[in-house]
Amino acid sequence: MSKISQRPGAAATAMLGLGIYRPERVVTNAEICEVLDSSDEWIQSRTGIQRRRFAREDETVIDMGVAAAEDALKAAGITADQIGAVIVASTTQGQHTPHAAPMLADRLGSRAASFDVSAGCAGFCHALSVASDLVRGGSAEYALVVGVEKVSDFLDPTDRSTAMIFADGAGAVVVGPADEPGIGPVAWGSDGSQSQVIRQEPRCRQVEHDQQPVIAMEGQAVFRWAPFKMADVAREAVASAGLELADLDAFVPHQANMRITDTLVRNLKLPEGIPVARDIADTGNTSAASVPLAIERMVRDGEAKPGDTALLIAFGAGLSYAGQVVTLPPVAGL
Ligand code: UT7
């Protein structure tokens, strides 16, 4: 039997830079309610969302992902040709073939291994873990992770359980070698017995000459599951990083619904004074983009800073979830 060599990898990894993209168009609750049978008051009190952003009709998942990725590369101080793997987390790029990552890599001028991760709103935290393991395993010196969604393409504007929640945007990070571990062990899993709770439905939305499936959600089922199960996942992520909740400088949960965040924080018994991401008020639920967008908001608002220790938790369709403790990276433009 021949002896196969394996590559050594980095002893430790971290996020080296973060970039984001928020579409220009701000969509108020009033605008949503021009079509949806709801009200600004109901949306704010039940979801915490005041406004969100929708991409332009001609703006694609690739366009948004490239914008975020270019800024992540700048913040990390590396060039596209140094990237050894590009991982795109998205469920709204509109087609299974071709997948998004090679097109995104090409726009950056990269010929790196490029693949998509489909794990709903938990996609970014899954991809971050995969990227860290690729770098630690020696398969790439640097890996680019992009969480990007254009959920507006898949919304039925008359559906009361989705139309006011979801939104568009992108966030990207470069993962690479570091002197000290900056990405803790992932706590992750799934419950496929609830796979129908968030799903794509053939019930189609007419788009110009074409038809597009829509996203449907049993919101209450997610509500009964997420704030309880995610408290356990959060505790597991913190313990496996060798830390305690009191060691955290920030908590960045997936921006699903402000009431889910509030209930999760209560269930977790997060110590008072640890800032919690609440980007959802201005941004809506951007699925796989929500965690990096929320990090950027916290750093921009001075609630957290690069070098801080933060707990990330993401959950959604699948049902899938993933979370890890990280050191916050430098953020482009801040
Ligand atoms: O990111 C992926 C994971 N997704 C999530 O985390 C989403 C989790 N779920 C949610 O965010 C919430 O379940 C929703 C925002 C989708 C719905 O809020 P809810 O508090 O669970 O509402 P509900 O379905 O329990 O409905 C309560 C009431 C009902 O009226 P009655 O029966 O009490 O008279 C509904 O008909 O609110 C009514 N309702 C609405 N009213 C105005 C439901 N949706 C709406 C609406 N506008 N959009």
Side-chain angles (χ1 to χ4, degrees):
M1 196 172 74
S2 305
K3 195 167 166 237
I4 295 174
S5 301
Q6 289 188 319
R7 279 192 210 116
T13 58
M15 297 191 283
L16 305 181
L18 181 146
I20 56 114
Y21 178 76
R22 295 178 193 273
E24 259 173 46
R25 189 157 102 76
V26 175
V27 179
T28 62
N29 289 341
E31 184 178 338
I32 293 287
C33 294
E34 284 170 15
V35 182
L36 185 71
D37 177 15
S38 188
S39 67
D40 176 40
E41 193 275 328
W42 193 96
I43 297 170
Q44 287 207 41
S45 64
R46 291 300 187 111
T47 70
I49 298 170
Q50 296 170 15
R51 58 192 76 80
R52 78 284 290 138
R53 287 169 187 253
F54 281 178
R56 291 190 314 270
E57 201 73 27
D58 65 341
E59 201 167 32
T60 66
V61 156
I62 308 293
D63 295 332
M64 293 191 283
V66 166
E70 284 175 342
D71 275 357
L73 289 169
K74 268 186 228 148
I78 69 159
T79 51
D81 57 310
Q82 292 176 271
I83 294 288
V86 175
I87 311 175
V88 172
S90 182
T91 46
T92 52
Q93 81 116 348
Q95 59 199 20
H96 289 297
T97 309
H99 49 294
M103 295 185 277
L104 193 147
D106 181 54
R107 289 265 299 271
L108 295 173
S110 164
R111 287 288 177 267
S114 300
F115 54 95
D116 294 3
V117 162
S118 178
C121 300
F124 178 82
C125 289
H126 278 75
L128 180 61
S129 171
V130 171
S132 178
D133 288 353
L134 287 178
V135 175
R136 291 210 308 146
S139 301
E141 187 180 4
Y142 297 98
L144 176 70
V145 173
V146 184
V148 53
E149 302 283 9
K150 190 178 180 191
V151 196
S152 60
D153 271 353
F154 292 85
L155 290 180
D156 171 352
T158 65
D159 183 341
R160 290 171 123 203
S161 63
T162 55
M164 69 294 167
I165 295 245
F166 290 107
D168 305 337
V173 295
V174 173
V175 173
D179 293 337
E180 297 288 335
I183 301 173
V186 68
W188 58 358
S190 66
D191 178 2
S193 73
Q194 298 198 70
S195 60
Q196 291 309 299
V197 162
I198 305 172
R199 61 188 183 274
Q200 220 177 60
E201 276 200 346
R203 175 168 55 101
C204 283
R205 183 170 86 108
Q206 190 74 38
V207 190
E208 285 189 34
H209 308 296
D210 221 347
Q211 297 228 308
Q212 190 108 294
V214 295
I215 288 172
M217 179 168 70
E218 289 158 33
Q220 283 190 348
V222 182
F223 226 117
R224 280 194 299 273
W225 171 78
F228 304 94
K229 178 68 185 171
M230 290 314 109
D232 293 339
V233 175
R235 279 187 277 270
E236 185 191 331
V238 171
S240 58
L243 300 175
E244 296 186 357
L245 284 173
D247 295 320
L248 298 174
D249 299 310
F251 179 36
V252 190
H254 166 49
Q255 303 291 289
N257 178 320
M258 195 77 89
R259 284 163 55 225
I260 289 186
T261 297
D262 290 338
T263 315
L264 172 55
V265 165
R266 265 198 312 278
N267 290 342
L268 187 53
K269 298 188 174 59
L270 192 73
E272 288 281 322
I274 295 176
V276 178
R278 295 184 185 284
D279 186 39
I280 191 169
D282 280 334
T283 307
N285 176 339
T286 55
S287 187
S290 91
V291 166
L293 283 168
I295 293 174
E296 186 268 349
R297 169 67 56 118
M298 290 190 93
V299 174
R300 179 152 46 90
D301 289 352
E303 290 180 306
K305 56 185 187 313
D308 277 358
T309 302
L311 169 62
L312 316 180
I313 295 284
F315 53 88
L319 298 172
S320 283
Y321 57 88
Q324 56 272 93
V325 176
V326 298
T327 304
L328 294 181
V331 177
L334 299 178

